[in-house]
Amino acid sequence: MGCNDLQFLAPYFRSILYRRGWSEKRSRKVIIDVGANAGDDTISILKSFQSILQMCHMYSSPVQLISVEPSPKVFCEMTDTLSSKMIHEDRKNNILLNIALSDKTGQLVFADPGHEGGELIGNNYTALPKITPGELESFTHCKYKEDEFRNMSIDKSRKSMVPTYTLDLVLLGAKNLLQKKRITFIVFEVWTNNFVKLISTYMSQYDYQCFLLTKDVLVPVHATHWWYSHMDDFTRDWWGNGLCGLKGSKDMQMLWRMYHSDNLKLLNSYDLL
C-alpha cells in the first residue's frame, strides 16, 4: 500500500473485507503490491490482514499478497529480508515476482541492475506468450548469489533482461478487470496535478471515483465534476497518494464513512458526490 502514511488504511480495508464478505461465499482476496521495492511493506500488509487464528479461523477471510519488483538486485534484497523475518504462515500467503508490469508485454532491459530501480533501456517490445500460473515459479527466485547482490557495484555496462507482462494487473492492462468491477480499491502514488487528472479521467470511464488522500479528508477529484482550477496553475512536481473505488458501491460508502467518522458534516455526505 505504500509508505507509512498509508498504513492507517489497512484497518478500514480489513473491516470492509470482513463485514462485506460475511454473508458471501468465503474466497481468497488478492492484494497486489506493484513496485514492492525491498519488501518493506510486505510484512506490514500481511500482518494487517492476518487471519483470525484458532477457533475462529474458519470464519476469517484469507488474503493472498502478490509482491512485484522488476529490479533484479532489489528483488534479491526483498527475498533476503523476507526469508529472515517472515513466518511460515505468512510465506504461504505471499508470492514474490521478479517481473515488470505494464500495459504491454515484452522484454525490458535493466542497465545497472545493482542500483535501485536501474534504468530501462529502449522502448522496443517483443511479444511474449501468455504465462501460466505454473510458469510464474521461474520468476520467484533471486538471480544472484548472496555475495553477488550484497556487494554489487554500479556498472552501467551490466544489463539484465526483465520480462514484462500485463497480467491484467496494472491500470492500462487491467481493462477487463475494471470492466467487470473485479477490483475493489486502487491505491496509487501521484506526483503531478496533470497525472491526477489523467488517472481520474481514465478510471471514471469504468465507473470508479478517485480521491486524493489527506490526513483528515478524502478529496474527490474528477476532470469535470470535481476539479479545482488552482491545480492547473500549479505545475511543479509534488508527492502524495490517491485512491479509487467503485462509485456508489457499498465498499466505497463504507470506506467514506469510516474515514470521516470524526466529522459529522462529512460522515453522511457521500451521496452528494
Side-chain angles (χ1 to χ4, degrees):
M1 283 185 287
C3 299
N4 289 332
D5 60 341
L6 293 180
Q7 293 305 316
F8 64 87
L9 282 175
Y12 297 158
F13 288 156
R14 176 169 176 167
S15 296
I16 292 171
L17 172 66
Y18 277 64
R19 286 284 301 277
R20 296 281 298 118
W22 182 257
S23 60
E24 300 174 2
K25 182 179 179 181
R26 187 171 176 267
S27 60
R28 183 179 293 273
K29 307 300 182 181
V30 178
I31 298 174
I32 303 161
D33 185 8
V34 181
N37 206 282
D40 298 334
D41 294 311
T42 299
I43 294 178
S44 296
I45 293 173
L46 286 173
K47 292 299 182 186
S48 296
F49 290 89
Q50 191 174 46
S51 298
I52 301 172
L53 301 178
Q54 298 177 359
M55 64 177 290
C56 293
H57 179 72
M58 66 184 70
Y59 297 104
S60 62
S61 298
V63 169
Q64 178 77 67
L65 174 63
I66 302 176
S67 302
V68 179
E69 174 52 51
S71 172
K73 196 251 185 181
V74 178
F75 180 82
C76 289
E77 293 174 349
M78 177 169 63
T79 58
D80 183 59
T81 298
L82 298 182
S83 64
S84 60
K85 293 184 178 181
M86 191 178 289
I87 62 175
H88 176 69
E89 186 67 26
D90 286 337
R91 290 176 191 167
K92 292 194 303 182
N93 297 323
N94 186 209
I95 298 175
L96 309 179
L97 294 176
N98 184 200
I99 61 175
L101 292 178
S102 177
D103 59 325
K104 302 176 182 177
T105 61
Q107 297 280 354
L108 290 181
V109 181
F110 264 86
D112 180 26
H115 183 263
E116 179 179 339
E119 181 181 356
L120 297 177
I121 305 298
N123 57 5
N124 294 320
Y125 291 82
T126 302
L128 293 177
K130 289 185 177 181
I131 192 170
T132 64
E135 292 172 323
L136 283 176
E137 174 67 22
S138 62
F139 303 118
T140 61
H141 307 291
C142 173
K143 296 178 173 62
Y144 301 113
K145 295 180 180 179
E146 184 174 336
D147 56 342
E148 289 180 322
F149 78 82
R150 286 186 181 279
N151 304 305
M152 191 176 290
S153 60
I154 296 176
D155 180 0
K156 291 293 184 182
S157 65
R158 183 176 53 235
K159 295 179 174 59
S160 179
M161 300 292 290
V162 179
T164 304
Y165 294 95
T166 63
L167 290 182
D168 270 347
L169 299 183
V170 287
L171 291 184
L172 294 180
K175 182 178 179 180
N176 291 334
L177 291 177
L178 293 172
Q179 287 178 332
K180 295 177 181 179
K181 309 296 188 289
R182 295 288 301 277
I183 299 175
T184 306
F185 294 111
I186 294 173
V187 180
F188 55 94
E189 293 182 9
V190 294
W191 52 90
T192 67
N193 289 333
N194 185 54
F195 178 74
V196 175
K197 181 178 284 188
L198 287 174
I199 194 170
S200 63
T201 299
Y202 179 79
M203 294 299 291
S204 66
Q205 67 180 310
Y206 299 106
D207 295 325
Y208 283 79
Q209 55 189 165
C210 299
F211 304 83
L212 291 178
L213 294 172
T214 70
K215 183 171 67 73
D216 301 310
V217 179
L218 290 175
V219 181
V221 286
H222 186 280
T224 304
H225 307 300
W226 289 98
W227 193 248
Y228 315 93
S229 58
H230 67 276
M231 294 178 70
D232 290 323
D233 300 326
F234 189 83
T235 57
R236 296 197 307 272
D237 290 356
W238 57 281
W239 187 86
N241 294 284
L243 176 144
C244 297
L246 275 169
K247 185 176 182 179
S249 67
K250 291 184 178 180
D251 299 297
M252 190 64 244
Q253 293 179 48
M254 203 172 161
L255 176 63
W256 175 271
R257 290 176 180 135
M258 285 190 290
Y259 206 99
H260 303 110
S261 58
D262 57 349
N263 187 320
L264 293 180
K265 289 184 178 180
L266 292 176
L267 181 62
N268 294 311
S269 63
Y270 179 80
D271 291 342
L272 297 177
L273 302 179

